[in-house]
Amino acid sequence: MFSDAQFATEILLMKSLSGFIAYPSQPIAIGSVISQALNSLKPDAAKIHLTSWQENDIAGRFLIDPILTNISISDVLVADITRLNFNVIFEIGYAIGRKKRVYLVRNDALTGSDTLIREVGIFDTLGYNQYSNSDELATLLRAIVDVKPLSFDANQINTSAPVYLVLPRKKTDLEIRLVSRIKKARLQFRSFDAEELGRLAAGEAIENVAKSHGIVLPLLSKERIDFEVHNFRAAFVAGLAMALDKILLLLQEGEDPVPLDYRDLVKSFRGLDQINVYIADFATEVGARFQSTSSPIVSEPKTFLERLNLGASAAENELQDLGNYYIETDEYRRALSGEVRVVTGRKGAGKTALFAQVRNKLRQDRSRVVLDLKPEGFQLLKFREKVLDYLEEGTKEHTITAFWEYLLLLEICHKLLQKDEEFHLRDNRLYEPYRLLAQAYKEDEYVSEGDFSERMLKLTQRIADDFASSQTDRDELKYLKTGQITELLYKHNLTALRKRVIEYLKYKKGLWLLFDNLDKGWPAHGVTPEDVLTLRCLIDAMSKIERELRKHNIDCHGIVFIRNDVYELLVANTPDRGKVASITLDWTDPELMRELLRRRFLYTDTGIADNSSFDEIWRQIATTHIQGEETSHYLIDRSLMRPRALIDLVRFCRSHAVNLRHDRIEVADIEHGEEAYSNELLSNIDFEIQDVEPSAAGLLYEFIESNEVLSGTDIYNILSKAVGENKAGLMLSLLLWYGFFGVMREDGETTYIYSVKYDIKRLEAMLKKRGLENASFKINPAFWRALEIRN
């Protein structure tokens, strides 16, 4: 007698399985091996029937339709990712969107795209099988029995943010204009930003595309940094979008680099103004989609685990829902009361979440003016390279402070005029002050449409152009006097502008200046002394505005949100230490992390009672123990105590469980989820370390296949070999700071940076007491699977 599962398997084996094989045209060896494997499968045609096509780059032929049609009628798509290829990646995304089984293979006998696969992030989270010759490939193909596709729900559109945008790591005028026009069209959007998240996981991409009405994908030219990584991500997302019938805006400058096969999908532009037209058409289509109804593409999820929604791990993508489950910590209350000037935290610690919650809370009182500024670092980089690098040290500080004061005043004006554009017509007190403020503000062409980043870019470009035109010899330093700098920066009558602002703010309850993302453009070259000076000058400019307004009894507060490492450099280079009030958002309490998850579980429409404890909910979601350890503790222990990392880890585990139709997260789901998460975390932390010390790029990979516990001597030797003896000590400090290593104590416990409330001096004191040669270090379990650590 057969069990139900055995009977189903027998029936499946009796059915002929049809499929397509996608592979790149280069190198030729890939196609040759695949052809030989297919020939050897011909005797098995009654059970498995696979066909392939050769990639053609013939101008004038549009090959996408027959390819996608064949994918749609097949049971499985087999895709070779030995060498990543735009066409093949697009077809992988399309097959997943069409609810087809995708089976990835890779020829490990050929040099391939190992680094690209790791950086892109999609394929190592999907998983792939390796072969060396046609016999091994044929064996893999014969073993394909299960044609069950990845499970996802395309019915639950995110109506509060119906657009999904994929952004590259480095932003230029193109990306700034694109975001500005989307905001101008009043399209709320979620985004993948490589600067924030590092790698794009397949599950994240699928979920975001499925929840969207529209997808926006800028493609990078071959001259741009990371163009391959970004464009491959875009290809995958574009394939998903097309399969799920989403409104797709695929943009590229000129004719490069999209293959001719897909040129009809792409909107090409020569000037930035064309983007305005494309976004206008896109916004109209998204609006029409809101008003229309369509049949469901997939069935409604039925299990508790499928209905469970953790929300987005990046606060930028859940601003509409965040308030429903945000934990109002003491740090939040102190920021809201105006006690602090600086909020610090690592990536994923919740800086942007706090920024958004403070802003939203303050905005509830319409008589209060809240200026929330989030620039991209690209503008400041241009200002530094074209102006600051050509000024003497004493002049730099004055110039940057003057720049920030001018910029902040202009943005305060812009906010006031925008906020009261209609209201001043109904309030007699505001009519005349509003008219005078508008007259003073519009003296400079800096006043333009778009968001803050676009206006800031226009201002920095104007200053850079004026500075360049004032020099006769660019190779010699131009030492400018204070008066010349003032003339160079200001195109407004600053005294009159400040007066009008003060007069208008007297009718308001107060002013708040919230500044986020200032350090977002610094990573490519590491944090420089000029970057730290820029931050210090911004704080000085905000303090100056606060003092000026308080002289006139106007309440004013300013907060800057920055990374810990940047703040440490700021303090080290500030003469009057302790003058700047600050709070740190880094998390140290596991129970608070559980509460974070509990609130997100409760917000999901799963029928969970509001008074349910975390343990009660968790028992329904996941198995209780793994390797003798309670599962929530196991996951938190691998999160580096970062909320974003914990949410991502749980999501990876849940996705694997849902794909296999499990009612809850089992041990195998945790193991698979942990592996995908560990690879992503390794890449992200490597980027973070590189942000601070560019020479440390790839340093974490030096520890692949190491033991979990290493002596100080072992580590010093590895680091010395990688970066030189003169930098080995610095690198060890960085690895301790980012939680890669912990110091082992005599009782067998391990002290990581978050175990000592991020006080690096305590770890250094422990090492000094033991001596490096006698100290033992443990690699954080979060990295074990990615680095294949022996434990």
Side-chain angles (χ1 to χ4, degrees):
M1 294 292 292
F2 290 118
S3 68
D4 290 344
Q6 289 172 321
F7 181 74
T9 301
E10 289 294 320
I11 293 296
L12 192 59
L13 287 171
M14 293 169 61
K15 177 186 174 184
S16 176
L17 184 147
S18 66
F20 248 56
I21 299 186
Y23 59 91
S25 60
Q26 297 296 327
I28 297 175
I30 295 177
S32 176
V33 172
I34 288 174
S35 296
Q36 293 178 48
L38 291 181
N39 286 334
S40 66
L41 286 178
K42 287 181 178 179
D44 301 308
K47 292 184 179 180
I48 180 169
H49 179 67
L50 299 176
T51 58
S52 70
W53 67 92
Q54 290 189 341
E55 183 181 351
N56 295 301
D57 293 321
I58 304 173
R61 291 191 60 188
F62 191 56
L63 303 178
I64 185 174
D65 287 340
I67 291 172
L68 301 187
T69 298
N70 282 316
I71 291 175
S72 297
I73 62 176
S74 298
D75 297 316
V76 63
L77 172 73
V78 178
D80 190 295
I81 59 170
T82 305
R83 297 282 176 85
L84 294 187
N85 168 279
F86 189 96
N87 293 27
V88 174
I89 295 173
F90 181 97
E91 289 141 18
I92 292 170
Y94 184 83
I96 291 174
R98 294 294 296 171
K99 306 297 288 183
K100 301 297 178 180
R101 169 72 194 281
V102 172
Y103 190 85
L104 303 183
V105 295
R106 182 180 178 279
N107 191 326
D108 60 6
L110 300 175
T111 57
S113 307
D114 293 21
T115 302
L116 272 176
I117 288 174
R118 185 172 66 244
E119 291 181 4
V120 170
I122 293 168
F123 305 103
D124 53 359
T125 57
L126 285 175
Y128 53 85
N129 292 286
Q130 304 200 72
Y131 68 93
S132 300
N133 52 58
S134 59
D135 289 338
E136 291 182 5
L137 177 58
T139 300
L140 289 176
L141 298 180
R142 287 191 187 95
I144 299 176
V145 175
D146 185 5
V147 294
K148 183 172 57 182
L150 291 175
S151 175
F152 59 91
D153 178 19
N155 293 331
Q156 300 297 320
I157 299 296
N158 187 326
T159 55
S160 60
V163 172
Y164 183 53
L165 171 64
V166 178
L167 292 170
R169 183 170 170 81
K170 299 297 294 180
K171 316 298 186 300
T172 65
D173 293 19
L174 162 61
E175 290 77 36
I176 291 172
R177 172 63 64 89
L178 190 58
V179 172
S180 174
R181 298 314 301 184
I182 292 174
K183 290 180 179 178
K184 185 70 175 177
R186 299 191 68 183
L187 290 175
Q188 299 298 323
F189 65 94
R190 292 158 289 116
S191 66
F192 169 80
D193 188 341
E195 180 68 30
E196 281 293 315
L197 300 174
R199 304 191 324 151
L200 179 60
E204 178 186 346
I206 295 167
E207 180 179 341
N208 277 292
V209 173
K211 288 184 176 181
S212 302
H213 277 316
I215 311 296
V216 181
L217 304 169
L219 295 169
L220 306 187
S221 68
K222 292 180 179 179
E223 287 72 36
R224 291 281 298 273
I225 294 173
D226 294 335
F227 81 94
E228 283 188 308
V229 172
H230 174 79
N231 290 346
F232 289 149
R233 289 170 179 156
F236 181 75
V237 172
L240 284 167
M242 189 170 182
L244 292 171
D245 191 29
K246 304 298 181 180
I247 302 164
L248 175 63
L249 179 57
L250 197 58
L251 287 167
Q252 72 171 12
E253 191 167 7
E255 302 302 323
D256 176 66
V258 171
L260 292 175
D261 304 22
Y262 294 89
R263 67 182 182 275
D264 286 4
L265 294 178
V266 176
K267 302 290 187 183
S268 297
F269 65 92
R270 296 291 180 182
L272 293 179
D273 288 342
Q274 284 182 271
I275 293 177
N276 301 0
V277 177
Y278 291 141
I279 292 295
D281 293 340
F282 175 80
T284 301
E285 290 186 69
V286 171
R289 185 65 64 90
F290 261 120
Q291 297 171 345
S292 66
T293 58
S294 58
S295 301
I297 299 175
V298 296
S299 59
E300 185 73 20
K302 297 179 176 62
T303 69
F304 174 83
L305 199 59
E306 286 176 312
R307 296 199 306 273
L308 190 68
N309 181 9
L310 288 166
S313 58
E316 293 89 344
N317 292 333
E318 58 172 358
L319 296 180
Q320 302 297 323
D321 297 325
L322 185 60
N324 294 297
Y325 40 72
Y326 184 78
I327 299 176
E328 295 185 356
T329 60
D330 181 61
E331 289 79 10
Y332 163 80
R333 288 185 283 271
R334 289 185 61 195
L336 192 61
S337 67
E339 294 179 32
V340 299
R341 181 65 50 79
V342 174
V343 174
T344 72
R346 300 170 186 237
K347 280 189 177 181
K351 297 190 300 298
T352 299
L354 178 60
F355 173 92
Q357 288 306 107
V358 169
R359 177 195 62 189
N360 294 344
K361 182 68 174 180
L362 292 170
R363 279 179 175 175
Q364 291 177 7
D365 188 340
R366 285 190 53 81
S367 64
R368 185 182 288 119
V369 180
V370 182
L371 194 61
D372 56 325
L373 304 175
K374 300 182 71 172
E376 298 293 343
F378 172 65
Q379 304 97 315
L380 290 176
L381 183 63
K382 180 176 291 189
F383 183 58
R384 188 180 78 189
E385 291 177 346
K386 294 191 174 183
V387 179
L388 298 183
D389 288 348
Y390 291 87
L391 298 177
E392 60 183 344
E393 290 303 316
T395 309
K396 281 183 181 179
E397 185 168 351
H398 172 81
T399 303
I400 301 173
T401 304
F403 167 79
W404 281 127
E405 184 183 4
Y406 184 43
L407 178 67
L408 290 173
L409 278 174
L410 289 177
E411 286 303 312
I412 294 169
C413 287
H414 181 86
K415 185 69 174 183
L416 292 171
L417 295 174
Q418 180 189 58
K419 182 181 176 68
D420 289 347
E421 184 176 8
E422 296 182 4
F423 184 70
H424 84 281
L425 299 174
R426 302 192 298 270
D427 190 330
N428 293 332
R429 300 176 308 151
L430 296 179
Y431 182 81
E432 185 61 20
Y434 185 95
R435 187 183 66 81
L436 293 173
L437 180 64
Q439 183 179 351
Y441 176 56
K442 294 176 181 177
E443 292 179 1
D444 186 6
E445 63 177 6
Y446 163 81
V447 180
S448 64
E449 294 184 354
D451 64 353
F452 171 58
S453 292
E454 194 170 16
R455 292 193 300 274
M456 186 175 176
L457 177 62
K458 189 172 183 179
L459 177 63
T460 53
Q461 184 63 57
R462 191 269 293 165
I463 293 172
D465 291 344
D466 289 352
F467 181 79
S469 64
S470 70
Q471 298 181 83
T472 56
D473 187 352
R474 191 65 174 169
D475 294 328
E476 294 183 6
L477 290 177
K478 178 74 173 182
Y479 299 116
L480 300 178
K481 297 179 180 179
T482 301
Q484 292 174 301
I485 293 173
T486 301
E487 183 179 349
L488 178 69
L489 290 175
Y490 305 150
K491 294 301 180 184
H492 288 81
N493 182 330
L494 202 62
T495 302
L497 186 68
R498 187 183 293 109
K499 178 181 177 182
R500 299 304 180 197
V501 169
I502 291 172
E503 289 176 351
Y504 200 86
L505 283 173
K506 289 179 179 179
Y507 297 97
K508 300 295 180 180
K509 198 170 182 178
L511 171 69
W512 282 75
L513 304 172
L514 306 178
F515 218 109
D516 194 15
N517 279 4
L518 180 65
D519 49 22
K520 204 169 185 180
W522 298 349
H525 306 289
V527 180
T528 68
E530 286 78 11
D531 294 327
V532 178
L533 180 62
T534 298
L535 171 61
R536 182 153 58 87
C537 290
L538 169 60
I539 294 174
D540 289 344
M542 292 172 71
S543 299
K544 186 176 180 181
I545 291 174
E546 286 182 20
R547 290 194 300 270
E548 184 69 26
L549 292 179
R550 286 173 180 171
K551 287 180 183 177
H552 297 84
N553 297 316
I554 299 171
D555 187 44
C556 180
H557 301 278
I559 305 177
V560 179
F561 296 76
I562 55 173
R563 299 196 318 256
N564 295 57
D565 54 281
V566 178
Y567 179 69
E568 291 292 328
L569 289 171
L570 171 68
V571 171
N573 290 277
T574 300
D576 188 6
R577 301 187 182 190
K579 183 179 179 181
V580 180
S582 66
I583 53 174
T584 300
L585 289 184
D586 290 315
W587 297 52
T588 59
D589 185 0
E591 289 305 317
L592 204 57
M593 300 284 274
R594 291 186 177 89
E595 177 62 16
L596 178 146
L597 289 178
R598 189 188 77 89
R599 293 194 179 201
R600 288 172 180 260
F601 297 155
L602 289 176
Y603 183 64
T604 303
D605 184 19
T606 52
I608 303 174
D610 290 346
N611 60 353
S612 300
S613 69
F614 173 83
D615 290 336
E616 290 172 331
I617 301 172
W618 188 250
R619 282 193 290 269
Q620 293 188 54
I621 294 172
T623 185
T624 57
H625 291 81
I626 178 172
Q627 299 173 16
E629 190 173 352
E630 195 273 327
T631 48
S632 71
H633 180 82
Y634 181 90
L635 297 178
I636 291 171
D637 200 36
R638 284 153 176 77
S639 70
L640 301 186
M641 294 303 292
R642 300 187 184 194
R644 180 187 298 176
L646 179 60
I647 293 168
D648 284 337
L649 177 52
V650 175
R651 181 183 289 110
F652 278 125
C653 298
R654 171 193 169 274
S655 295
H656 190 268
V658 168
N659 290 340
L660 295 182
R661 301 290 194 273
H662 292 166
D663 292 331
R664 64 176 183 175
I665 299 171
E666 304 292 352
V667 170
D669 302 319
I670 293 176
E671 291 173 346
H672 280 84
E674 183 187 351
E675 184 168 359
Y677 158 81
S678 185
N679 279 287
E680 181 169 302
L681 181 70
L682 178 68
S683 178
N684 290 344
I685 297 298
D686 184 62
F687 274 128
E688 287 189 40
I689 295 175
Q690 183 181 343
D691 288 352
V692 179
E693 180 53 54
S695 64
L699 185 63
L700 300 185
Y701 297 94
E702 297 291 332
F703 295 92
I704 195 164
E705 297 182 341
S706 295
N707 294 322
E708 64 172 285
V709 177
L710 296 170
S711 69
T713 303
D714 290 337
I715 292 175
Y716 186 81
N717 290 337
I718 293 172
L719 295 179
S720 297
K721 184 178 179 181
V723 297
E725 291 187 16
N726 58 326
K727 284 192 173 182
L730 170 63
M731 296 305 163
L732 177 57
S733 294
L734 281 176
L735 296 180
L736 288 168
W737 171 258
Y738 283 96
F740 181 78
F741 280 130
V743 180
M744 294 197 68
R745 300 199 304 263
E746 287 73 11
D747 59 3
E749 296 296 319
T750 306
T751 300
Y752 294 100
I753 186 69
Y754 42 80
S755 308
V756 292
K757 300 187 182 298
Y758 301 90
D759 185 354
I760 190 66
K761 293 181 180 178
R762 288 178 61 181
L763 284 182
E764 291 173 345
M766 292 174 64
L767 289 180
K768 184 177 180 180
K769 180 180 179 181
R770 290 165 173 77
L772 183 62
E773 64 281 359
N774 297 319
S776 294
F777 298 82
K778 186 174 183 178
I779 297 176
N780 197 301
F783 301 96
W784 286 1
R785 291 192 180 270
L787 292 175
E788 302 175 41
I789 298 301
R790 295 188 290 266
N791 61 311

